[in-house]
Structures are given as C-alpha cells and as structure tokens.
Amino acid sequence: MPEGDTVWQAATRLHLALAGKVLIRSDLRVPRYATADLTSRTVLDVTPRGKHLLTRIEGGLTLHSHLRMDGSWKVYANGQRWSGGPAHQIRAVLGTADRTAVGYRLPVLELLRTADEDRAVGHLGPDLLGPGWDPDSALENLLRDPARPLGEALLDQRNLAGIGNVYKSELCFLLGVTPWLPIGALPADHAAHLPALAKKLLESNRDRPARNTTGLGAQGHSATGRDQNLFVYGRAPRPCLRCRTPIRAADQGDGSRERPTYWCPTCQAGPAPAPGTAKPRTSPRRTTN
C-alpha cells in the first residue's frame, strides 16, 4: 500500500533515472493530455510530497501523479521488457536515452505549471519526509478538532502528510490507544510524542523493501513462518505479538470513506466497535488512499 515511505522510494528511483536528462519520449495516456509533448525538455527533479509525486520539467512544467492504492511507476533500461501490467493500464511514459519510466494504473495524472503546484498539494500538512517538516504545526493541526477519532485525524493529509492505513494502525498500537479514541483524550505526553514517532517510523522504513515497525529482525519472520514485520495491520485474527490476544479488524471512516483498521483489544485502551461489528479479516481489503 503506497504511503509516504513507498512514495519517497518511488520518487528516488524516478529522480535517479530521469533527473538532469533530456526526454526523447513522452506519452501521457489520459484524454486531457494526450497531445502534450514533453520531448526535448530536461527533467529537473522528482520530488515526493506526502503521498504525491511531482516531476518537474524544464519550461516551468510539473507532472503531478498520485498512486493511491494500485498505481506504480516502474523504471526500465531501454530495450528491457516492461512488466508492470498490461499495456492498457499504462498512463504515462517518460523516456531518456538510457531509461524509461512507465506509470501504471495512475488514478491521478495531471500536467500543470510548476508555479501552480499548490493547486495540487497546497492543502497538505507538514510532510513527514519533507525538508519543511514541522512537528509543532503537525501536532497543532491534529489537536484542532479534539473530538475527532485519532485514526481519522492521522489519515487526514491536511494535518500531516504521508500516513495511510498501515501507519495509522501501527501508530495507534505503539501509543497504546485505539484508533477510535478522541484525539483530545490522548494523554498529553503521548500527544507530544506522536509527530516524532510518526516521523521515526516512516524514516526508518523509507529505504527498506518491506516495512518493519516491530524491530523483530531484518526478515521479520518467526520460526513458524508467520510475518512479524507489523504489530497489528493485516494480522487479524492472529494473536498479538505482545499479549497473544487475537487482533481485531473493523472499518473506520476518514471523513470520506471507510478504511480497514486493526488493533489489539488488550494492549490498546479506548473505545472500539462492538464485538459483533468487528471483522476477522485475514488480509487487508483494497481501498484508495
């Protein structure tokens, strides 16, 4: 699931492949930009902003994309077979003399003036992996609506940018509270620690091929083969890694849609759905971000 860390990884791959190079191929396969031609222009940089990607191109242009749930950017050496999906799923192709970047299943793809980037990302709160990270501003944003459930507040990219379903569930576990606890009821010391903890989780995972929030080893697998990379996300109804209580799962809104949420009813204090409404999922349901 693309969240701030995986988007950062995608931006790094694209930047290494394209930045400073002249485009010799440009194909934007969405109706609005089907005739746009970016060839002969130099790619200046590829920058992540929360869960958004900004590919800046000579001439004051930015190609803005968002991966949501299923999107991806793949980089291929010229002559290498493209393997990211069938051709009809390709939404963008950017090629240089030695590399080609191919965007698959991109739900958001728009070409805008670089001066107008705020139209696409100006609503975002402080970026957990960005150079302008401001923990005080992030905490202030989160606490602005004290009655709002913690999980919903964490997913709201206007508060802080980069958290999705996985880190929402993992952060709540590490804080020892359920995602349904009103954020204003979070103990003051926990609230003060929250921005730093969120940043630590994303920073520690931005260079890893697989997320690990538990610290249970590089491979994150027990002797039985069960995945131990994450404390709660995707683990229902398996036992909690700390107390052995079965992990529970239920949907939680984020202000726009329902999201799968995981928690331990023993390790995490606070309100939660009634037992009959929790869903014993064995894997996350597909959602958008």
Side-chain angles (χ1 to χ4, degrees):
M1 176 181 297
E3 300 191 23
D5 54 345
T6 47
V7 173
W8 191 93
Q9 293 172 11
T12 299
R13 290 193 300 271
L14 290 170
H15 184 85
L16 290 174
L18 303 176
K21 299 178 182 179
V22 176
L23 293 174
I24 62 173
R25 182 175 183 182
S26 162
D27 186 3
L28 305 182
R29 301 182 184 179
V30 293
R32 184 176 178 183
Y33 304 109
T35 61
D37 184 8
L38 301 175
T39 57
S40 300
R41 297 175 186 258
T42 300
V43 176
L44 303 179
D45 65 78
V46 183
T47 298
R49 182 73 173 88
K51 295 190 279 186
H52 299 251
L53 283 165
L54 302 171
T55 302
R56 299 184 178 115
I57 301 167
E58 180 185 17
L61 296 176
T62 294
L63 186 64
H64 166 232
S65 58
H66 194 300
L67 306 181
R68 292 199 177 157
M69 186 66 192
D70 296 319
S72 68
W73 279 96
K74 304 290 185 181
V75 175
Y76 303 100
N78 287 353
Q80 182 181 0
R81 181 183 177 186
W82 298 356
S83 56
H88 72 267
Q89 294 182 347
I90 295 173
R91 296 294 177 265
V93 180
L94 300 175
T96 70
D98 62 348
R99 293 287 186 273
T100 301
V102 184
Y104 290 90
R105 300 171 298 278
L106 300 175
V108 175
L109 185 71
E110 62 174 342
L111 188 63
L112 59 148
R113 298 195 62 80
T114 301
D116 296 331
E117 283 181 0
D118 273 358
R119 181 169 62 81
V121 297
H123 66 288
L124 298 175
D127 187 347
L128 282 156
L129 295 179
W133 168 244
D134 183 346
D136 294 333
S137 178
L139 183 59
E140 181 181 352
N141 292 343
L142 287 166
L143 295 176
R144 185 169 292 128
D145 182 359
R148 192 174 192 187
L150 174 59
E152 292 184 22
L154 289 172
L155 284 179
D156 191 333
Q157 302 300 295
R158 296 170 298 181
N159 291 332
L160 69 172
I163 293 176
N165 291 335
V166 177
Y167 285 116
K168 173 194 75 172
S169 294
E170 295 297 295
L171 279 166
C172 289
F173 178 84
L174 291 169
L175 291 169
V177 298
T178 71
W180 290 270
L181 181 78
I183 191 166
L186 191 64
D189 58 335
H190 287 47
H193 182 54
L194 196 163
L197 179 60
K199 184 174 179 62
K200 179 180 179 181
L201 285 184
L202 267 70
E203 280 191 334
S204 64
N205 282 286
R206 67 183 183 184
D207 295 318
R208 289 175 175 164
R211 292 188 184 110
N212 186 304
T213 62
T214 64
L216 294 179
Q219 299 302 315
H221 289 78
S222 67
T224 61
R226 287 191 171 183
D227 184 24
Q228 295 187 13
N229 279 333
L230 303 175
F231 281 110
V232 290
Y233 187 84
R235 290 185 53 81
R238 284 178 285 170
C240 173
L241 296 175
R242 284 184 178 172
C243 73
R244 312 307 292 172
T245 301
I247 297 298
R248 291 174 61 190
D251 287 331
Q252 181 183 35
D254 70 340
S256 63
R257 61 183 69 87
E258 294 294 301
R259 307 285 188 115
T261 302
Y262 298 82
W263 80 103
C264 172
T266 298
C267 294
Q268 294 172 254
T277 64
K279 303 175 183 180
R281 293 196 188 97
T282 56
S283 61
R285 190 184 68 185
R286 286 179 174 266
T287 62
T288 56
N289 266 313

